[in-house]
């Protein structure tokens, strides 16, 4: 699909495709327990038909609300940041279609947005963290502006300090991955980046360095919809793996909020390892891959064009 791309283009396309592929791979296992996934599928290592609450509503290779909301952010971005009113309009139009995979917090927030109320919902779920990687691409080299935009775009749906801190953490690690940084020392840097928003969550992230295997990491943090579970697990998976595929397979078989876990991991890991290191079959069999290609191209040109 993309031949001879330069390094940064490879990273941007890796981030976008990594996130969307993670979402689509994890869609079929979302909400199932680890044991249920194993019983139904064995080990999932490719797109499969959903046998969860999305059975009959989504086809294998389709993405969910994680990607939909990221797309709205991309479409609302300009050189100055996110046009928050435009983003809200996209959310409202989407909510009116009653999509099968929309989260409860987003639904409640959209109801408020319809009344021109941008105050969001006090919810510690991960719906803001899963969508912020496009902003991290645009401001990977300007952490002050990155923080400002992430807080702005998070709180109109998830106006909760833990949810916002989780969004900042994912954005920080995407930014670091785009700069070729991948080591446990980043946890201290991330702590300093987010502590003023939620110091308890920042301290929780520091615990990631106590783990040297992913199963123990998941057992400790959890992989459910809460920011305090899925964000540390996504970051930990990235730090504990040496290639894109290995971590992705761990995420989609973990149980719980697998699409968000895999999407966040995919954004960070894709930004580090690049598009060329994503398995070809996952790219080829992704639904509407040309649309995602054009979004990645738009983001790259917005930043580097």
């Amino acid at each position: 699909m993309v031949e001879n791309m330069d390094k940064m283009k490879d990273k941007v396309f890796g981030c976008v495709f990594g996130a969307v592929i993670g979402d689509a791979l994890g869609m079929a296992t979302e909400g199932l327990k680890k044991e249920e996934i194993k019983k139904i599928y064995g080990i999932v290592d490719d797109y499969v038909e959903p046998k969860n609450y999305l059975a009959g509503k989504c086809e294998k290779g389709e993405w969910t609300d994680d990607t939909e909301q990221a797309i709205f952010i991309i479409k609302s971005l300009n050189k100055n940041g996110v046009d928050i009113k435009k983003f809200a309009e996209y959310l409202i139009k989407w909510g009116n279609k009653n999509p099968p995979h929309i989260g409860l917090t987003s639904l409640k927030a959209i109801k408020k947005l319809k009344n021109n109320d941008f105050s969001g919902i006090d919810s510690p779920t991960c719906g803001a963290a899963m969508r912020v990687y496009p902003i991290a691409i645009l401001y990977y080299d300007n952490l002050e502006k990155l923080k400002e935009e992430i807080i702005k775009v998070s709180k109109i749906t998830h106006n909760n300090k833990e949810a916002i801190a989780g969004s900042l953490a994912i954005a920080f690690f995407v930014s670091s991955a785009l700069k070729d940084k991948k080591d446990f020392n980043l946890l201290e840097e991330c702590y300093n980046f987010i502590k003023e928003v939620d110091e308890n969550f920042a301290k929780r992230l520091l615990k990631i360095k106590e783990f040297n295997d992913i199963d123990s990491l998941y057992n400790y943090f959890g992989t459910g919809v809460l920011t305090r579970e899925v964000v540390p697990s996504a970051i930990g998976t990235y730090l504990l793996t040496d290639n894109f595929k290995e971590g992705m397979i761990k995420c989609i078989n973990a149980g719980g909020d697998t699409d968000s876990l895999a999407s966040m991991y995919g954004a960070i890991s894709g930004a580090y390892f690049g598009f060329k290191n994503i398995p070809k079959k996952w790219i080829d069999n992704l639904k509407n891959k040309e649309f995602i290609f054009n979004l990645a191209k738009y983001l790259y040109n917005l930043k580097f064009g």
Side-chain angles (χ1 to χ4, degrees):
M1 186 178 286
V2 184
E3 300 295 334
N4 303 318
M5 58 169 65
D6 64 36
K7 184 178 179 181
M8 190 51 81
K9 193 171 185 179
D10 183 56
K11 283 176 162 290
V12 170
F13 276 68
C15 179
V16 175
F17 270 89
V20 179
I21 285 168
D23 181 17
L25 284 167
M27 175 270 291
T29 56
E30 183 193 1
L32 299 175
K33 294 177 182 175
K34 186 178 181 179
E35 300 75 23
E36 290 175 317
I37 296 168
K38 197 169 184 180
K39 186 177 178 182
I40 295 167
Y41 297 109
I43 298 295
V44 180
D45 63 0
D46 204 351
Y47 302 114
V48 292
E49 291 291 348
K51 295 182 180 176
N52 54 5
Y53 75 102
L54 292 171
K57 298 174 183 175
C58 293
E59 297 177 6
K60 67 179 182 179
E62 280 188 31
W63 63 68
T64 76
D65 59 324
D66 300 50
T67 298
E68 291 284 356
Q69 294 198 40
I71 289 169
F72 302 150
I73 286 177
I74 294 171
K75 288 182 172 182
S76 304
L77 274 173
N78 56 52
K79 292 281 188 184
N80 299 315
V82 179
D83 181 333
I84 208 70
K85 288 191 175 179
K86 197 172 181 181
F87 178 52
E89 286 170 8
Y90 279 120
L91 287 173
I92 291 167
K93 285 179 188 174
W94 177 62
N96 287 340
K97 295 176 184 175
N98 198 27
H101 37 59
I102 191 168
L104 188 60
T105 301
S106 294
L107 265 177
K108 290 179 179 177
I110 287 167
K111 282 184 181 178
K112 295 180 84 168
L113 290 171
K114 286 178 180 177
N115 294 317
N116 210 31
D117 181 348
F118 285 65
S119 63
I121 306 296
D122 184 4
S123 169
T125 51
C126 69
M130 70 191 190
R131 70 191 186 208
V132 293
Y133 59 88
I135 303 171
I137 290 171
L138 192 58
Y139 296 113
Y140 81 98
D141 53 353
N142 183 347
L143 291 183
E144 187 178 335
K145 179 65 172 172
L146 177 62
K147 181 181 282 190
E148 177 189 321
E149 291 297 316
I150 294 292
I151 292 172
K152 180 177 82 174
V153 86
S154 297
K155 68 183 185 181
I156 71 162
T157 57
H158 294 68
N159 198 355
N160 170 277
K161 65 180 184 177
E162 188 171 284
I164 295 169
S167 299
L168 289 169
I170 294 297
F172 174 85
F173 271 89
V174 170
S175 164
S176 299
L178 290 168
K179 296 176 201 166
D180 274 339
K181 294 181 181 179
K182 183 180 183 288
D183 60 65
F184 282 86
N185 293 328
L186 290 170
L187 293 167
E188 292 285 350
E189 292 181 39
C190 186
Y191 170 84
N192 290 324
F193 184 60
I194 68 174
K195 66 181 180 181
E196 67 185 35
V197 175
D198 188 344
E199 188 164 14
N200 286 334
F201 181 77
K203 286 178 180 175
R204 184 170 172 82
L205 289 186
L206 293 177
K207 288 188 172 292
I208 294 171
K209 59 188 172 186
E210 298 173 15
F211 296 88
N212 54 23
D213 76 275
I214 292 171
D215 290 332
S216 299
L217 179 91
Y218 291 170
N219 287 337
Y220 179 81
F221 288 107
T223 55
V225 298
L226 296 176
T227 300
R228 64 186 288 107
E229 294 187 28
V230 74
V231 168
S233 288
I235 292 168
T237 304
Y238 166 66
L239 291 174
L240 287 167
T241 48
D242 297 321
N243 63 79
F244 182 89
K245 182 179 178 180
E246 178 192 355
M248 184 59 73
I249 290 173
K250 281 287 189 182
C251 289
I252 62 180
N253 289 281
D257 195 5
T258 48
D259 62 330
S260 297
L261 174 64
S263 185
M264 288 187 273
Y265 163 79
I268 303 168
S269 187
Y272 183 78
F273 292 110
F275 182 82
K276 64 181 178 292
N277 286 306
I278 298 175
K280 188 174 183 297
K281 66 177 181 178
W282 290 351
I283 296 166
D284 289 346
N285 295 319
L286 179 69
K287 295 275 188 184
N288 298 312
K289 62 180 181 290
E290 290 299 334
F291 178 75
I292 300 303
F293 177 88
N294 287 328
L295 283 174
K297 188 177 178 182
Y298 171 78
L299 256 183
Y300 176 79
N301 288 334
L302 186 63
K303 178 62 182 175
F304 300 101

